[in-house]
Amino acid sequence: MKDIVFIEDGTRVGHVTDIEIDVDVGKITNLVIATKTKTLGMFGESREVIIPWNQIIRIGQDVILVKKNGQTFPANAQHTDNMLLP
């Protein structure tokens, strides 16, 4: 349950819920991140965001630092959607 944090500004993205693996080469390709957006103060809608493995800068004891300037697409969304994280 490590938190994912953008290295550029320290924004917390969410936490790792799953990984995607290329079984042909035996390497991790993406991290699946659960995010939560608050509405009405306490209720939140959860969604998943894909972080490509090449955006990871450092994996620490409590957090994983990732680059913000890469392409980060919500899971199950078309790459042409305007649903990119800031």
Side-chain angles (χ1 to χ4, degrees):
M1 295 292 289
K2 294 183 186 233
D3 286 331
I4 305 298
V5 176
F6 285 132
I7 196 164
E8 291 87 354
D9 60 6
T11 303
R12 182 183 174 277
V13 180
H15 62 272
V16 177
T17 57
D18 202 358
I19 58 174
E20 293 180 3
I21 300 173
D22 182 342
V23 294
D24 293 332
V25 293
K27 291 187 178 183
I28 297 173
T29 57
N30 296 307
L31 298 179
V32 179
I33 311 303
T35 64
K36 194 167 192 175
T37 56
K38 290 185 178 180
T39 56
L40 301 175
M42 46 195 260
F43 300 106
E45 175 186 337
S46 196
R47 68 177 183 157
E48 292 181 334
V49 175
I50 302 297
I51 303 284
W53 185 255
N54 62 4
Q55 281 184 236
I56 296 173
I57 301 299
R58 171 87 62 192
I59 299 175
Q61 201 168 21
D62 298 322
V63 298
I64 298 175
L65 300 175
V66 297
K67 287 189 282 185
K68 187 176 187 178
N69 60 0
Q71 294 181 343
T72 305
F73 297 101
N76 303 324
Q78 297 294 326
H79 295 299
T80 57
D81 288 348
N82 292 328
M83 297 178 63
L84 296 176
L85 289 178

